[in-house]
């Protein structure tokens, strides 16, 4: 076998792992981000505006990226131990914050909580959504390189036919995260006719066309290894995004935003019925001749083309979630209700997933069937609810410490224990001192550039390093260096106030 064939075989024919294991690994970064925030609140030195950007970068990298790298590699079987360490560390930080609180020092905790529930928030964005998008980007960046090394557990690789692998979450999570902040949800395309809206949507996809065609030409010209059953011969991630954008733009012209969940459910159910009662499933798996032919454009790319129906449904579910979460809510108690509703919905979907996999069909990334779509949405909602819960806990910690400010977190309008006029002035002073250096903000700002950079560096490393025979220490060094370099470039762009867009 050639090196290319060996690498393709190394990432093929896998059956995945349990939904529970993936969920455990997916939610861990949310608690790591909370610990990072608590550490900043506790340490006046870290909150200081004189603190160097280098130290802030290293702290963010240590709390966001390093846990992802080790969870997907050497600590993959010790996730519960990681949770124990993070929870103990976070609880210790929170206890210290409570003991050192500068507000309501002599008031019992019940009274403090009552006052906290009356606090108002001011934020131009929802920190949990930014963190969600960044976690998914960082997870994908780590996984696309780590999968080529032996230290990456094969059960986390993309599944061949049925099952749930950690890498199967990547594309669905990206589409869901993008949908939550799409122009339709943010109301950018509200003015003008429907034809004008459609024209703007069509104009927005041309960078994806260039990226998809560019990737296709480069991959084919250098003979880079491919996982054929992922998308097909010519199809790739960017082409999926294009078709999903076209389908969902048309659907959002016809249906209102608040009915997106009905559209998503209807699409997945009808698609699953087509898989069960028509030759569609046989075509996806074996082609028109029943023997896996790749002759003809449709046969060559059948997985990528047909699966866009499932991803379009995931996008519509993301639109529904975004339109609900992004509503303006002035009080912290309102966000507690939101967190509860999102978590309850996630649990309900996981129960539905279990029933579906037992009675109808197991989740399949290759087909993007009903079970797969429900798994993606449920996993996204459980991660989002974890991040919202972390934001609420962090807001309470900031409530206890006068003048505390943490990057990429809610801003408290009312400071405790003083009149409103004085509280507003204190918040303004805190905002002026708030650190602008934040890896989460930087990655969220240039998410597409980070993704492209990760793909390019992954390709360069694969072409220059024998990943199949790399030992554990060398692989860990390369993975951390790769992520460090990519994050540093994005971070520097943010410090220079640069946002790179193609449209």
């Amino acid at each position: 076998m050639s090196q290319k064939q060996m690498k393709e075989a190394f990432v093929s024919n896998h059956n995945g792992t349990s939904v529970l294991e993936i969920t455990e690994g997916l939610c861990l970064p949310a608690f790591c981000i909370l610990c990072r925030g608590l550490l900043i609140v506790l340490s006046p030195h870290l909150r200081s505006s004189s603190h160097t950007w280098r130290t802030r970068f290293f702290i963010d990298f240590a709390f966001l990226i390093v846990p992802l790298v080790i969870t997907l590699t050497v600590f993959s079987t010790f996730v519960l131990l990681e949770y124990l360490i993070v929870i103990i560390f976070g609880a210790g930080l929170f206890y210290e914050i409570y003991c050192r609180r500068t507000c309501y020092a002599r008031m019992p905790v019940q009274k403090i909580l009552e006052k906290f529930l009356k606090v108002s928030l001011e934020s131009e964005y929802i920190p949990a959504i930014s963190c969600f998008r960044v976690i998914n980007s960082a997870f994908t960046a780590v996984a696309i390189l780590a999968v080529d090394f032996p230290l990456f557990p094969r059960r986390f690789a993309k599944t061949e036919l049925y099952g749930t692998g950690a890498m199967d979450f990547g594309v669905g999570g990206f589409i869901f995260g993008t949908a939550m902040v799409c122009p339709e949800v943010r109301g950018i395309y509200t003015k003008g006719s429907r034809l004008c809206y459609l024209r703007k949507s069509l104009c927005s996809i041309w960078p994806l066309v260039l990226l998809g065609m560019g990737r296709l030409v480069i991959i084919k010209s250098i003979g880079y290894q491919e996982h054929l059953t992922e998308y097909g011969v010519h199809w790739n991630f960017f082409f999926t995004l294009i078709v999903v954008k076209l389908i969902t733009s048309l659907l959002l012209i016809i249906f209102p935003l608040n009915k997106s969940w009905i559209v998503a459910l209807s699409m997945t159910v009808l698609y699953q019925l087509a898989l069960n009662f028509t030759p569609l499933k046989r075509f996806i798996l074996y082609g028109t001749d029943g023997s896996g032919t790749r002759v003809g454009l449709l046969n060559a790319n059948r997985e990528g083309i047909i699966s866009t129906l499932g991803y379009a449904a995931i996008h519509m579910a993301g639109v529904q979630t975004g339109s609900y979460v992004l509503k303006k809510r002035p009080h912290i108690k309102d966000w507690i209700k939101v967190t509860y509703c999102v978590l309850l919905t996630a649990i309900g979907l996981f129960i539905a997933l279990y029933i579906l996999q037992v009675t109808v069909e197991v989740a399949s990334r290759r087909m993007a069937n009903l079970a797969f779509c429900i798994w993606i949405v449920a996993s996204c909602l459980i991660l989002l609810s974890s991040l919202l819960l972390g934001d609420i806990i962090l807001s309470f910690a900031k409530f206890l410490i006068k003048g505390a400010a943490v990057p990429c977190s809610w801003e408290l309008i009312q400071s405790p224990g003083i009149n409103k006029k004085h509280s507003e002035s204190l918040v303004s002073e805190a905002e002026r001192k708030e650190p602008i250096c934040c890896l989460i903000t930087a990655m969220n700002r240039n998410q597409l550039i980070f993704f492209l950079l990760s793909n390019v560096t992954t390709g360069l490393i694969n072409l220059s390093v024998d990943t199949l025979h790399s030992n554990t220490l060398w692989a860990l060094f390369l993975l951390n260096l790769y992520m460090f370099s990519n994050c540093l470039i994005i971070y520097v762009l943010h410090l220079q106030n640069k946002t790179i867009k193609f449209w």
Side-chain angles (χ1 to χ4, degrees):
M1 294 176 69
S2 66
Q3 186 76 358
K4 177 186 175 183
Q5 290 173 326
M6 289 174 63
K7 287 190 174 184
E8 287 175 347
F10 191 60
V11 298
S12 303
N13 301 313
H14 300 298
N15 298 317
T17 184
S18 68
V19 170
L20 178 60
E21 184 177 22
I22 297 171
T23 305
E24 289 172 353
L26 192 62
C27 293
L28 181 64
F31 293 95
C32 294
I33 290 173
L34 172 60
C35 288
R36 163 221 180 231
L38 293 175
L39 182 64
I40 294 173
V41 170
L42 183 63
S43 173
H45 179 56
L46 293 179
R47 298 201 309 267
S48 172
S49 59
S50 62
H51 211 59
T52 65
W53 66 267
R54 295 177 184 86
T55 305
R56 292 171 183 166
F57 173 77
F58 278 109
I59 290 172
D60 287 351
F61 187 84
F63 278 92
L64 177 62
I65 306 300
V66 174
L68 270 175
V69 173
I70 62 174
T71 300
L72 288 172
T73 54
V74 290
F75 272 27
S76 60
T77 55
F78 303 102
V79 177
L80 293 180
L81 177 61
E82 289 183 85
Y83 268 100
L84 181 63
I85 294 171
V86 170
I87 289 172
I88 291 175
F89 180 64
L93 291 173
F94 190 84
Y95 177 75
E96 284 297 315
I97 290 171
Y98 183 78
C99 291
R100 300 182 190 183
R101 65 189 185 276
T102 56
C103 303
Y104 300 112
R106 298 183 179 181
M107 186 174 289
V109 63
Q110 186 176 355
K111 293 291 184 181
I112 296 175
L113 287 172
E114 288 177 2
K115 290 187 175 294
F116 174 65
L117 292 177
K118 298 176 183 178
V119 167
S120 297
L121 302 172
E122 182 180 19
S123 179
E124 295 180 357
Y125 65 95
I126 310 303
I129 292 182
S130 297
C131 291
F132 176 96
R133 286 159 53 83
V134 168
I135 288 172
N136 190 66
S137 295
F139 165 82
T140 303
V142 173
I144 59 175
L145 178 60
V147 70
D148 296 314
F149 290 94
L151 85 166
F152 186 83
R154 295 300 96 189
R155 67 184 186 277
F156 287 171
K158 290 184 177 180
T159 53
E160 192 67 23
L161 180 55
Y162 289 106
T164 51
M167 289 188 70
D168 291 330
F169 175 78
V171 177
F174 184 90
I175 288 174
F176 188 93
T178 302
M180 284 196 293
V181 293
C182 69
E184 293 85 356
V185 172
R186 290 179 290 148
I188 294 178
Y189 294 162
T190 53
K191 295 181 180 179
S193 64
R194 293 184 177 183
L195 186 61
C196 180
Y197 157 76
L198 185 60
R199 181 179 58 82
K200 290 179 180 179
S201 296
L202 292 174
C203 289
S204 69
I205 67 173
W206 72 262
L208 297 175
V209 175
L210 295 179
L211 291 171
M213 293 302 298
R215 188 184 191 280
L216 173 62
V217 171
I218 293 171
I219 292 297
K220 297 301 179 183
S221 61
I222 66 175
Y224 194 76
Q225 69 265 16
E226 299 176 90
H227 189 180
L228 187 62
T229 59
E230 182 179 358
Y231 293 111
V233 178
H234 311 102
W235 204 264
N236 59 50
F237 168 69
F238 298 108
F239 293 146
T240 294
L241 290 184
I242 292 167
V243 177
V244 167
K245 178 65 176 177
L246 292 174
I247 294 173
T248 54
S249 295
L250 290 172
L251 289 173
L252 290 171
I253 289 176
I254 302 170
F255 301 98
L257 284 179
N258 60 358
K259 303 299 181 184
S260 297
W261 70 273
I262 299 177
V263 178
L265 183 61
S266 301
M267 286 179 67
T268 50
V269 170
L270 291 173
Y271 176 47
Q272 185 63 50
L273 290 173
L275 289 173
N276 288 353
F277 299 106
T278 71
L280 183 60
K281 183 190 296 186
R282 181 177 176 82
F283 166 70
I284 296 173
L285 301 181
Y286 307 111
T288 53
D289 66 350
S291 60
T293 180
R294 293 289 173 178
V295 177
L297 192 62
L298 185 59
N299 271 310
N301 304 286
R302 55 183 183 267
E303 295 92 347
I305 294 172
I306 304 300
S307 65
T308 54
L309 295 172
Y311 287 120
I314 291 170
H315 186 280
M316 295 302 290
V319 168
Q320 180 71 56
T321 304
S323 61
Y324 172 68
V325 175
L326 286 175
K327 287 180 180 178
K328 290 184 179 179
R329 296 176 175 88
H331 300 291
I332 197 74
K333 60 183 179 182
D334 298 325
W335 286 104
I336 294 174
K337 293 178 182 177
V338 170
T339 305
Y340 173 76
C341 290
V342 173
L343 179 60
L344 201 63
T345 304
I347 293 172
L349 288 174
F350 276 121
I351 294 172
L353 173 64
Y354 174 79
I355 296 171
L356 272 172
Q357 294 203 114
V358 171
T359 60
V360 181
E361 188 176 41
V362 177
S364 171
R365 170 202 54 80
R366 192 169 171 182
M367 293 182 283
N369 59 0
L370 176 59
F372 175 81
C373 293
I374 289 179
W375 170 58
I376 292 294
V377 175
S379 298
C380 289
L381 292 180
I382 200 75
L383 174 58
L384 184 62
S385 63
S386 300
L387 291 166
L388 286 169
L389 177 62
D391 284 338
I392 293 169
I393 296 172
L394 182 58
S395 296
F396 183 65
K398 291 167 66 177
F399 179 76
L400 297 174
I401 302 294
K402 183 178 179 180
V406 180
C408 197
S409 67
W410 275 317
E411 298 167 3
L412 306 183
I413 294 178
Q414 298 177 359
S415 291
I418 43 182
N419 61 59
K420 185 176 180 181
K421 181 178 179 181
H422 186 47
S423 71
E424 289 175 349
S425 66
L426 283 176
V427 171
S428 299
E429 181 182 355
E431 289 174 354
R432 286 194 296 269
K433 292 184 177 179
E434 184 175 347
I436 60 171
C437 304
C438 175
L439 182 58
I440 295 172
T441 305
M443 291 175 65
N444 186 56
R445 181 176 186 173
N446 283 298
Q447 188 179 23
L448 182 57
I449 293 299
F450 179 78
F451 178 76
L452 294 175
L453 187 63
S454 300
N455 274 266
V456 171
T457 48
T458 295
L460 293 175
I461 292 172
N462 265 289
L463 291 172
S464 57
V465 175
D466 183 8
T467 57
L468 296 180
H469 301 97
S470 298
N471 60 50
T472 300
L473 288 178
W474 174 239
L476 273 178
F477 171 77
L478 281 178
L479 283 169
N480 281 287
L481 179 63
Y482 149 83
M483 289 300 296
F484 184 86
S485 302
N486 292 342
C487 291
L488 184 61
I489 292 171
I490 296 299
Y491 199 75
V492 171
L493 284 175
H494 176 61
L495 292 179
Q496 298 297 321
N497 201 27
K498 302 290 185 183
T499 303
I500 299 177
K501 290 186 177 182
F502 300 98
W503 58 92

